[in-house]
Amino acid sequence: MSTHAYVVRVAEDPADREACFTLRKEVFVGEQGVPEDIEYDAYDAVAVHVLAVREDGLPLGTGRLLYGAAAAGKTGGDMTVGSLGRLAVTQAARGLGVGAALVRAVEDAARARGLVAVDLHAQTHALGFYERLGYVAYGPEFPDAGIPHRAMRRVL
């Protein structure tokens, strides 16, 4: 797979958005055992979704940005901070830089909306990944869908 190029784009049309949801189901519900009824939420309708797609059209990963009122509950009410979430990369595409490219695409979307920072809730096993991208953990560990997480922030 490493011989294939990929692009990351904002998921604008219904087919792109469906690819995002399918990827999330594969990774979070299928691999990690997150109950499907909590994987999808009302924020999906207002989020900016990003999608990584291989040159042959195969979806590789996704993530989403919440901002404004939709992000307030995750950012301590700070309307200048966005919330990155639902970052998922297929098993076959891990280690190819797809996750980092998706994070940067979410950050670009945040900057385009005038946000000054991005928060996220990282699964604790992924702390090092986000730290390498400039995120700093804060606050105590907490469970989300039965998986330990930490809050992290990166100033843009």
Side-chain angles (χ1 to χ4, degrees):
M1 179 178 264
S2 61
T3 61
H4 292 280
Y6 62 88
V7 297
V8 177
R9 64 179 184 247
V10 172
E12 301 275 359
D13 64 44
D16 278 355
R17 291 174 66 90
E18 187 56 39
C20 293
F21 299 144
T22 298
L23 285 162
R24 285 169 43 188
K25 184 174 182 177
E26 177 184 331
V27 173
F28 296 123
V29 178
E31 288 180 35
Q32 298 182 353
V34 173
E36 192 167 358
D37 62 327
I38 66 169
E39 173 51 32
Y40 307 101
D41 58 29
Y43 298 120
D44 282 325
V46 297
V48 176
H49 298 270
V50 294
L51 178 66
V53 181
R54 202 168 68 180
E55 63 188 351
D56 63 2
L58 182 70
L60 302 176
T62 187
R64 76 176 186 186
L65 170 69
L66 301 179
Y67 60 97
K74 298 178 181 290
T75 64
D78 189 338
M79 300 299 271
T80 67
V81 179
S83 176
L84 184 160
R86 302 305 202 266
L87 188 73
V89 176
T90 63
Q91 278 187 327
R94 292 178 196 154
L96 302 178
V98 173
L102 288 163
V103 169
R104 295 304 185 219
V106 166
E107 292 170 350
D108 290 345
R111 278 188 203 88
R113 286 157 180 79
L115 303 177
V116 300
V118 173
D119 272 13
L120 58 86
H121 293 164
Q123 294 181 7
T124 55
H125 72 83
L127 288 171
F129 166 77
Y130 290 111
E131 288 169 345
R132 289 188 294 279
L133 294 174
Y135 286 80
V136 177
Y138 66 91
E141 186 176 294
F142 60 92
D144 187 2
I147 301 168
H149 284 69
R150 290 277 312 275
M152 301 186 86
R153 177 173 287 186
R154 179 170 186 255
V155 175
L156 301 175

